[in-house]
Amino acid sequence: MENKSFLEVKSICKSFGSLKAVNDVSMRIETGEILGLIGPNGSGKSTFINLITAMLKKDSGSVMLDGVDLSSMPAHKVPKNGLARTYQTVRLFKNLTCRENLIIGAIGVGISQKEANKIADELLEEMGLAEKADSFVENLTFSEQRFLEISRALACKPKFVLLDEPAAGLNEEETQHMLDLLKELPAKKHIGILIVDHDMHLIMTLCDKLHVLNYGQTIAEGKPEVVRANPEVVKAYLGSTAE
Amino acid sequence: MAKNRIKNNHGISSKLSTPIMLSVILVLVGYFIWWLNIPFVQDIYTSAAITLVMVLGFQIFNGNSGILSWSYVGFVGIGAFSSAIFSMTPQMKSMQMPEMYPFLVNIHVPFVVALILGAIVAAIIAAVVAWPMMKISDDAGAITQFALLIVIHVILAQWSKVTNGPRTFTLGGQTLTTIWVAMISGVVVLFIAYFFKESSLGLKLRATRDDRYAACSSGIDMVKTRYLSYIFSAAIGGFAGGLYSHYILSINASAFYMTLLFNLLSMAVIGGKMSVSGAFFGTILLTLARQGLRQIEPVLTNMGVNASGSTEIIVAVLMIVFLVFRANGIMDRYELSPSSLKSLFSRKKKAEKKSA
Ligand SMILES: Nc1ncnc2c1ncn2[C@@H]1O[C@H](COP(=O)(O)OP(=O)(O)OP(=O)(O)O)[C@@H](O)[C@H]1O
Ligand SMILES: [Mg+2]
């Protein structure tokens, strides 16, 4: 294996007025790992992603990727430093073709247009979107849009990607397809993944580790089986969803 | 091989096909009109080609950023005045504009150089004022643009020592923007606008237009991207202004205000502001429509109907109709190219088959 990268979040905090949306959360992911971030609605998962990608200004704490603090740089410099993301509500460039959407992902971090073209076509092929290369986004199914957004995150050749509910809105078959794809990504692309999702089957099958938030605070972390059995987790979250 | 399944249309030849096809139309029509040798028709062509350059410069920022750049026509005015100052002889200037600063009176460069300097002056002024404005999007962005246009307009209208103030600025001499100069400029700027759109900067600008959050998390510095594009657009606008002043030969600040903005906007909106081909066809269509309507106005007036101004009303209504029923204009997001023609044709065929 090539050298590993590390993404380390230390005691990150964010309040909206009196609401502590993310309260002293720390975690660590390395290349090759899939970490699942779960928690009830409004527990601060998306806010956490916005903080580590610097889309939101943190109140305190740090986000180090291989020794570089991401949380204090302008948000647009984060992908160039190796961290890409997707959004809970799909965000694509609707007046650009699928290929152009991916080209943006690559040229955004300074890859040449020629190289970006190559990266885009390879990703379209891998994701089974080759046929739609010159279509506009509205001609894709919802699940294809999710795949395209993930491809765009991969186009910048990141070290880590953060996926905010990639399976939300997908049917069972599409979710399985998503699972198959995500399962092989870390090894194939030499990346680490942080995934947020409410689909417990997906999370349990996919993740090497889990991290559970409730009211912005960490209530459990560790191996999926262990976390799942944690009484506080069951009470806060799994109790209602599983069984 | 799997790779062959993707037909990559980013080869150089297909990249060139759009500006080539548009240029061929522009040149053939121009050549035909020159051959016809009817001065009235030649004038319409020349001014349409100049307008095309203006609309293309407008499209570069407005169309690709999604920000309504009102201030654009101000930069057209800046280019118009400054290139005229650069190209006129000192004698002519001291005769026409006795108040002008002496250092301006003494400048004298060839026409083409003056055009380029006009573009550069517009670009420099854009570079000085635009940075903070580029942070603002949507309605607030359009309002700051509007405010900047007012500032530029008032300066152009009042700075007697440069623009001759509220009086007319007369260039004198002969028309330097001939039908050929206008045609060649149209062709060159068609290529420039198209390559800008396809360039890395143009792609990034379009990304910020469609979703600025996704653009940001794709690594795009929105403010910088907009800023550079805005300067570029202002430069083309300044160039177009120079073409205009050396064609019309007497200008004043009000030529670069609401009327011009409305004219350019109607062309961009009806043609399709996201597309270079849209700017092209919008310009042609509205030039023809305006000319046609202008012929009808006096006829109606003779018949006892007061029709003065009806042209503007009809154009305005047409723009509203487009915004309601086809908001992205005739060309929408598409460009004229062999493949877009082919797919249009095959779609029609399919529709015919279905109805048969
Ligand atoms: N920009 C904001 N301003 C004020 N409050 C916010 C903002 N963004 C999020 N919040 C609040 O912070 C809390 C955490 O929200 P967040 O979106 O991070 O939750 P989540 O875990 O992603 O939930 P879900 O599972 O529904 O996506 C919520 O109470 C939300 O209302
Ligand atoms: Mg969320």
Side-chain angles (χ1 to χ4, degrees):
Chain A
M1 198 94 174
E2 300 158 60
N3 49 336
K4 281 191 170 182
S5 294
F6 298 91
L7 178 65
E8 255 184 307
V9 183
K10 280 193 198 132
S11 315
I12 203 145
C13 295
K14 178 74 188 178
S15 301
F16 298 114
S18 62
L19 173 76
K20 289 189 168 170
V22 172
N23 190 358
D24 195 21
V25 176
S26 302
M27 68 171 63
R28 181 190 154 98
I29 323 172
E30 56 182 63
T31 306
E33 267 184 344
I34 302 184
L35 175 74
L37 177 62
I38 59 174
N41 291 111
S43 57
K45 306 179 297 294
S46 298
T47 305
F48 181 75
I49 288 182
N50 286 334
L51 287 173
I52 39 183
T53 51
M55 298 292 289
L56 271 177
K57 272 246 150 304
K58 68 182 175 190
D59 293 340
S60 61
S62 70
V63 179
M64 308 296 283
L65 200 164
D66 291 345
V68 180
D69 189 356
L70 301 180
S71 61
S72 47
M73 59 176 63
H76 66 84
K77 291 199 174 145
V78 168
K80 201 168 178 170
N81 282 281
L83 184 62
R85 67 169 293 181
T86 65
Y87 287 87
Q88 187 168 346
T89 49
V90 180
R91 286 187 177 275
L92 290 164
F93 306 119
K94 62 179 189 302
N95 295 309
L96 301 185
T97 63
C98 292
R99 181 188 286 113
E100 285 170 332
N101 265 275
L102 302 192
I103 289 174
I104 294 285
I107 61 176
V109 295
I111 294 171
S112 78
Q113 231 177 326
K114 201 171 153 217
E115 183 66 22
N117 233 311
K118 234 172 63 193
I119 293 172
D121 282 346
E122 281 167 14
L123 280 167
L124 287 166
E125 192 69 57
E126 282 172 36
M127 299 280 168
L129 293 169
E131 307 259 297
K132 306 272 178 102
D134 294 312
S135 305
F136 290 109
V137 172
E138 76 238 18
N139 299 319
L140 301 188
T141 64
F142 187 65
S143 98
E144 286 171 329
Q145 295 183 13
R146 289 267 189 217
F147 281 104
L148 187 68
E149 203 192 12
I150 295 173
S151 312
R152 187 182 62 202
L154 295 171
C156 71
K157 304 272 176 198
K159 296 173 184 161
F160 293 93
V161 293
L162 315 177
L163 307 175
D164 200 346
E165 305 201 15
L170 305 194
N171 66 29
E172 214 167 302
E173 191 186 329
E174 291 163 341
T175 305
Q176 188 59 43
H177 185 185
M178 178 66 72
L179 205 160
D180 296 339
L181 169 92
L182 296 179
K183 192 92 207 160
E184 60 177 16
L185 271 188
K188 197 158 134 199
K189 301 284 177 191
H190 195 61
I191 57 174
I193 296 180
L194 174 83
I195 178 172
V196 172
D197 213 281
H198 289 290
D199 185 322
M200 273 307 127
H201 169 68
L202 177 88
I203 289 288
M204 289 296 171
T205 324
L206 200 56
C207 298
D208 305 306
K209 297 191 299 194
L210 289 187
H211 192 116
V212 190
L213 292 183
N214 197 17
Y215 297 110
Q217 276 179 309
T218 304
I219 55 170
E221 55 184 321
K223 290 229 173 292
E225 317 76 79
V226 180
V227 167
R228 194 180 190 168
N230 182 316
E232 205 174 338
V233 174
V234 174
K235 198 173 110 211
Y237 184 69
L238 293 174
S240 55
T241 330
E243 277 89 41
Chain B
M1 248 178 69
K3 271 234 95 100
N4 298 338
R5 281 227 321 274
I6 303 188
K7 60 171 205 304
N8 192 327
N9 62 1
H10 278 240
I12 278 294
S13 60
S14 72
K15 249 192 165 165
L16 284 170
S17 69
T18 298
I20 287 178
M21 286 168 85
L22 297 174
S23 298
V24 166
I25 298 173
L26 185 66
V27 169
L28 286 182
V29 171
Y31 200 77
F32 177 68
I33 284 173
W34 169 79
W35 175 82
L36 273 183
N37 199 19
I38 306 169
F40 163 69
V41 179
Q42 289 192 356
D43 274 345
I44 294 175
Y45 178 86
T46 309
S47 84
I50 295 168
T51 308
L52 173 65
V53 176
M54 290 184 194
V55 178
L56 289 169
F58 185 59
Q59 194 274 335
I60 284 177
F61 187 76
N62 182 69
N64 294 316
S65 76
I67 298 172
L68 180 48
S69 51
W70 298 72
S71 64
Y72 176 76
V73 289
F75 292 100
V76 175
I78 290 169
F81 282 104
S82 49
S83 66
I85 293 168
F86 289 129
S87 78
M88 285 168 73
T89 61
Q91 298 94 297
M92 191 68 90
K93 274 181 270 193
S94 45
M95 207 166 76
Q96 303 279 9
M97 272 88 56
E99 285 182 39
M100 189 178 276
Y101 291 120
F103 78 95
L104 288 180
V105 172
N106 292 330
I107 303 174
H108 181 215
V109 299
F111 171 50
V112 177
V113 179
L115 285 181
I116 293 168
L117 288 177
I120 292 173
V121 170
I124 290 172
I125 294 174
V128 170
V129 300
W131 184 265
M133 295 170 61
M134 297 294 117
K135 299 179 181 171
I136 312 168
S137 306
D138 306 327
D139 285 355
I143 293 167
T144 52
Q145 285 284 334
F146 179 53
L148 177 60
L149 174 59
I150 290 174
V151 173
I152 295 175
H153 174 72
V154 171
I155 292 174
L156 289 180
Q158 301 300 331
W159 202 358
S160 302
K161 292 182 173 181
V162 178
T163 66
N164 210 23
R167 283 149 299 174
T168 301
F169 182 115
T170 308
L171 281 79
Q174 79 218 55
T175 303
L176 293 174
T177 306
T178 59
I179 185 169
W180 302 112
V181 171
M183 182 199 292
I184 292 167
S185 303
V187 169
V188 169
V189 177
L190 272 171
F191 275 85
I192 289 178
Y194 188 77
F195 277 105
F196 173 81
K197 186 183 161 205
E198 294 298 321
S199 72
S200 169
L201 184 62
L203 269 165
K204 288 182 192 170
L205 187 63
R206 288 190 278 155
T208 66
R209 170 193 68 196
D210 285 359
D211 191 316
R212 56 181 185 271
Y213 299 100
C216 179
S217 44
S218 300
I220 295 170
D221 183 346
M222 179 183 77
V223 178
K224 185 174 151 202
T225 302
R226 282 180 178 171
Y227 181 67
L228 295 175
S229 310
Y230 183 77
I231 294 171
F232 192 64
S233 167
I236 302 294
F239 176 77
L243 291 175
Y244 178 78
S245 59
H246 290 86
Y247 166 71
I248 215 89
L249 298 182
S250 75
I251 54 177
N252 70 41
S254 59
F256 310 101
Y257 207 38
M258 293 305 168
T259 312
L260 179 62
L261 179 72
F262 176 67
N263 196 7
L264 301 186
L265 193 62
S266 63
M267 290 170 175
V269 166
I270 291 171
K273 56 192 183 309
M274 283 188 277
S275 151
V276 173
S277 315
F280 183 83
F281 291 115
T283 307
I284 293 187
L285 193 77
L286 267 111
T287 301
L288 293 177
R290 277 175 183 280
Q291 288 302 330
L293 291 167
R294 228 165 262 160
Q295 306 306 315
I296 295 170
E297 260 182 42
V299 175
L300 286 175
T301 310
N302 278 344
M303 285 161 58
V305 185
N306 183 359
S308 60
S310 59
T311 302
E312 294 312 313
I313 293 179
I314 291 172
V315 171
V317 170
L318 194 63
M319 191 154 94
I320 294 171
V321 168
F322 261 88
L323 284 171
V324 172
F325 293 105
R326 196 173 164 90
N328 291 329
I330 296 168
M331 293 303 291
D332 198 293
R333 298 162 286 192
Y334 299 93
E335 295 289 355
L336 181 68
S337 74
S339 60
S340 68
L341 284 177
K342 224 188 278 168
S343 67
L344 186 72
F345 193 65
S346 63
R347 229 182 304 164
K348 270 207 185 127
K349 257 192 179 164
K350 261 187 214 157
E352 274 164 24
K353 259 188 202 159
K354 259 186 199 161
S355 62

